[in-house]
Amino acid sequence: MMETPKHWTNTTVGAICTLTNGMTFKSSEWRTAGLPIIRIQNLNNSEATFNYYEGSVEDRFRVSPGDLLFAWSGTPGTSFGAHIWQGPEAVLNQHIFKVTFDRKLIDPDYLCYAINQTLEEQTSNAHGGVGLRHVTKKAFSDTRLPLPPYEEQKRLAKEIRKLRAQSAKSRNALKLLIASKSKARESFLEAAFAGDLTRDWQTQESLSEPVELLLSRVGTPKQAQGGREATSRVVAGRSGISINIPDVPLPNRWAWVSLLRIARQETGHTPSRRNPEYWGGTINWLGIKDANAYHGKIINNTLQKITEAGLQNSSARLLPAGTVCLSRTASVGYVTILGETMATSQDFATWTCSDAILPEYLMYALMSEGQSIRRFGEGSVHTTIYFPEIRAFHIRLAPIDEQAAIVSRIKLAFSKLDQVVAEAEKAMQLFQQLDNQIMEYAFKGKLTKSEAGDGSAVEQLYQLRPPIVIREVTAPSRTRNKESTDMAKSLLQVLSEANDWLPAQEVFQRCGIGNGADMEKIEQIFAELRSLDQEKKLLAEPILDSNGRKIQDRLRLVG
């Protein structure tokens, strides 16, 4: 255990708390009304739904707002932990302890923080596999905790709350910034294909030739034979792509152009998985996982490769570098550009561009549709864009020089955005380190200072133990019993010699038990104090300050 201030002491969860495990419920007992059943997901997620129970419930299983709960089973890093219950009156499910303690001497927020500070140690020693693990009641009971005086506990918990709230506010702002990356990229792409990024080009007639003249000097690519014809229906896109020509105005010198007019459209194929000779070769073969990893990028190497035999014995064909690929099934909307000659699966529609369009311009145009590209497909759960729609794709085509300017400005903006997000992610890590340091400082006593009237942590621990530990204390061993007897004589001697009231702290000090004493020594003196108390040989009463607040107890022998 870490070093703590001398006026603190150390204890264990079991020494100051009673642990009650929750009830076991069958799914057949779940109802839609009654008492909510607190399960682990209800601790980790305030939005999680409840199951309900309408049967009778013992008071010990009932949970009220403000109760301290500890999830002792689950996935390390997510499920374990202490929580102050903020929900409604409820009933406790198994795998969660209800932690009860004397709230006049232990601050619940402090105890929650102190327990959670031990989670790394607890999860590393937990039973179970890599996934679901659990902490035994004994292991949790034996967990050691630092214990400052009660008033200092409250100040410490307040300071932790304040600092963590400030940290959380900053982290939330960073999370929003990071989460807004995709939205910011889509908004920028939408502006690009509305012509907003190149308004300066559109007002200078001499900068580039209109699209009509561009098409007059670039021939139409030869398309593959067969397949279904393009649909005649019109579906307006959100930004750069539409099915056929929508009633949407374009910037000066732009035009709606069919992709079949400016790029050769194809697809791919998957060689038979039953023939191992077709796989594990040297020919790159683009799959959905590749497109996911290289969305908006150029890909030069794929996860899976096929052999020459696989290529020859399937409908797959090699596509040249620069080919633009769009995933059109299941995971619709991933766009990548081939950096090398490759084959692809049939999950893609591909376009090999002519001199009328830059591959990156086409990639960004497809990306500008975002999730709205699904409107071109069919299927609410597993959307697929079929080839009649693919072959009817039209693009907002800018003059070739303006295309280059748009691509350049998109790249620059995306690069700056990536830098901002990368810095935000670094800052998130720093805030996590700061949170850890706050807790480390807190439990080393560096966030607060002791104040007059705080009382003694050792005496406070004595006050906590009798109602809880007496019931659970095990019979001491013979060796321990001799040690305890020696200590009892020392106690009796101190109190007998005084023949009057002595402050408890002074009694402890005369017995060799000072602040920061070893836990074993503290346990010995408390066992003897409880023994004297049970034998009705000990009197105790509070010492009050001028304001009537309790400072500590004083002790004397009866008679």
Side-chain angles (χ1 to χ4, degrees):
M1 176 167 262
M2 68 177 66
E3 183 180 350
T4 55
K6 291 183 178 180
H7 66 284
W8 292 21
T9 189
N10 296 318
T11 186
T12 62
V13 171
I16 60 175
C17 303
T18 299
L19 307 177
T20 304
N21 195 26
M23 296 174 63
T24 301
F25 296 95
K26 299 177 182 177
S27 58
S28 60
E29 295 178 307
W30 295 348
R31 298 291 183 269
T32 56
L35 274 178
I37 300 171
I38 302 175
R39 296 180 294 166
I40 287 176
Q41 53 262 51
N42 301 117
L43 297 177
N44 298 333
N45 178 10
S46 61
E47 303 298 323
T49 57
F50 286 105
N51 292 319
Y52 294 85
Y53 181 65
E54 291 182 325
S56 61
V57 177
E58 296 179 41
D59 286 344
R60 63 195 179 108
F61 296 125
R62 288 179 176 269
V63 177
S64 301
D67 283 348
L68 179 61
L69 305 177
F70 180 79
W72 55 267
S73 180
T75 304
T78 59
S79 302
F80 282 114
H83 306 260
I84 302 291
W85 179 243
Q86 304 294 341
E89 293 283 336
V91 58
L92 194 63
N93 191 33
Q94 63 178 340
H95 300 148
I96 304 173
F97 288 136
K98 179 180 176 181
V99 184
T100 54
F101 49 92
D102 188 342
R103 290 175 177 250
K104 294 180 181 178
L105 297 170
I106 298 292
D107 180 76
D109 288 329
Y110 171 82
L111 182 57
C112 184
Y113 288 134
I115 290 172
N116 283 337
Q117 187 67 3
T118 71
L119 290 186
E120 184 176 347
E121 176 186 351
Q122 291 195 55
T123 54
S124 65
N125 296 327
H127 294 267
V130 175
L132 188 65
R133 309 183 77 184
H134 67 272
V135 174
T136 65
K137 185 174 183 179
K138 183 181 185 307
F140 183 49
S141 294
D142 291 343
T143 299
R144 295 168 66 86
L145 302 175
L147 188 69
Y150 177 65
E151 292 299 328
E152 189 170 353
Q153 291 176 37
K154 293 195 294 184
R155 293 196 302 274
L156 188 57
K158 182 179 179 181
E159 189 68 16
I160 291 173
R161 278 196 303 273
K162 182 186 77 173
L163 293 174
R164 293 189 66 163
Q166 294 170 351
S167 173
K169 184 177 180 181
S170 298
R171 287 199 315 273
N172 288 336
L174 291 170
K175 286 179 182 177
L176 289 174
L177 174 61
I178 294 169
S180 68
K181 176 180 177 179
S182 295
K183 188 68 177 177
R185 286 166 67 102
E186 288 182 8
S187 296
F188 198 83
L189 289 172
E190 191 171 351
F193 289 93
D196 294 341
L197 299 188
T198 48
R199 291 294 182 199
D200 52 334
W201 284 72
Q202 296 149 29
T203 57
Q204 301 179 42
E205 295 290 339
S206 61
L207 281 178
S208 58
E209 62 180 346
V211 168
E212 289 82 356
L213 289 179
L214 173 66
L215 296 179
S216 68
R217 62 178 181 80
V218 176
T220 301
K222 183 178 180 180
Q223 301 296 332
Q225 298 297 311
R228 298 167 65 185
E229 294 296 322
T231 183
S232 60
R233 69 190 182 103
V234 177
V235 180
R238 183 180 111 173
S239 184
I241 301 292
S242 287
I243 293 178
N244 290 309
I245 301 178
D247 185 17
V248 176
L250 295 176
N252 186 32
R253 298 196 297 276
W254 290 35
W256 282 106
V257 178
S258 168
L259 286 182
L260 295 180
R261 171 65 183 82
I262 54 178
R264 177 181 172 88
Q265 188 271 306
E266 298 181 75
T267 187
H269 191 257
T270 303
S272 174
R273 299 281 186 183
R274 297 179 181 177
N275 194 330
E277 295 180 358
Y278 294 168
W279 295 91
T282 59
I283 300 172
N284 282 309
W285 181 83
L286 185 73
I288 291 293
K289 289 184 178 180
D290 297 308
N292 180 9
Y294 286 88
H295 178 56
K297 303 174 184 177
I298 295 174
I299 183 168
N300 291 294
N301 191 40
T302 59
L303 293 172
Q304 299 180 82
K305 293 179 172 58
I306 61 175
T307 63
E308 186 64 33
L311 183 67
Q312 296 301 323
N313 290 279
S314 71
S315 298
R317 67 177 301 274
L318 291 178
L319 299 169
T323 297
V324 180
C325 306
L326 167 72
S327 61
R328 64 178 191 87
T329 65
S331 300
V332 174
Y334 295 133
V335 191
T336 187
I337 297 175
L338 304 185
E340 306 283 345
T341 299
M342 295 185 191
T344 78
S345 77
Q346 64 274 17
D347 296 309
F348 296 92
T350 67
W351 292 272
T352 303
C353 298
S354 70
D355 292 340
I357 184 170
L358 300 177
E360 288 175 305
Y361 183 86
L362 174 55
M363 177 182 72
Y364 288 135
L366 292 165
M367 289 173 61
S368 73
E369 293 299 314
Q371 289 299 310
S372 297
I373 201 167
R374 292 175 175 271
R375 73 178 68 178
F376 301 149
E378 297 178 17
S380 57
V381 179
H382 298 293
T383 303
T384 296
I385 305 177
Y386 293 100
F387 283 105
E389 285 69 36
I390 294 286
R391 287 170 180 150
F393 273 12
H394 282 61
I395 187 171
R396 297 187 188 197
L397 192 65
I400 195 70
D401 291 343
E402 193 171 345
Q403 290 180 39
I406 289 171
V407 167
S408 176
R409 294 175 187 186
I410 290 173
K411 284 183 175 181
L412 179 61
F414 281 11
S415 176
K416 290 182 177 180
L417 181 60
D418 287 343
Q419 290 175 13
V420 170
V421 171
E423 290 300 319
E425 290 172 341
K426 288 181 182 177
M428 285 286 289
Q429 295 175 357
L430 291 175
F431 272 108
Q432 184 58 56
Q433 295 173 16
L434 176 62
D435 287 348
N436 294 338
Q437 194 166 45
I438 287 172
M439 301 306 289
E440 182 180 343
Y441 272 47
F443 293 100
K444 285 183 176 180
K446 295 183 178 181
L447 287 188
T448 56
K449 295 181 179 180
S450 61
E451 296 182 5
D454 279 351
S456 163
V458 172
E459 181 200 345
Q460 174 182 297
L461 189 58
Y462 162 68
Q463 295 179 59
L464 284 166
R465 289 166 181 268
I468 297 174
V469 178
I470 287 174
R471 297 194 305 270
E472 301 179 357
V473 67
T474 57
S477 66
R478 291 183 180 179
T479 303
R480 180 66 174 272
N481 192 43
K482 183 179 185 303
E483 293 174 353
S484 298
T485 301
D486 293 341
M487 182 61 73
K489 290 180 180 179
S490 177
L491 285 171
L492 286 171
Q493 183 179 356
V494 168
L495 293 172
S496 296
E497 289 175 353
N499 196 28
D500 198 353
W501 293 103
L502 278 180
Q505 183 66 25
E506 185 175 342
V507 173
F508 298 150
Q509 290 174 346
R510 291 189 186 187
C511 294
I513 306 296
N515 286 319
D518 181 81
M519 188 66 190
E520 185 176 355
K521 292 181 180 179
I522 294 174
E523 290 284 359
Q524 290 178 22
I525 191 171
F526 285 156
E528 296 308 319
L529 284 169
R530 288 193 295 272
S531 176
L532 289 172
D533 187 49
Q534 287 177 332
E535 294 171 7
K536 301 188 183 302
K537 295 181 179 179
L538 186 69
L539 295 176
E541 66 178 32
I543 299 175
L544 306 179
D545 65 13
S546 59
N547 295 317
R549 295 186 306 174
K550 178 179 174 180
I551 300 174
Q552 62 172 304
D553 279 327
R554 62 179 186 170
L555 308 174
R556 67 169 294 172
L557 291 176
V558 174

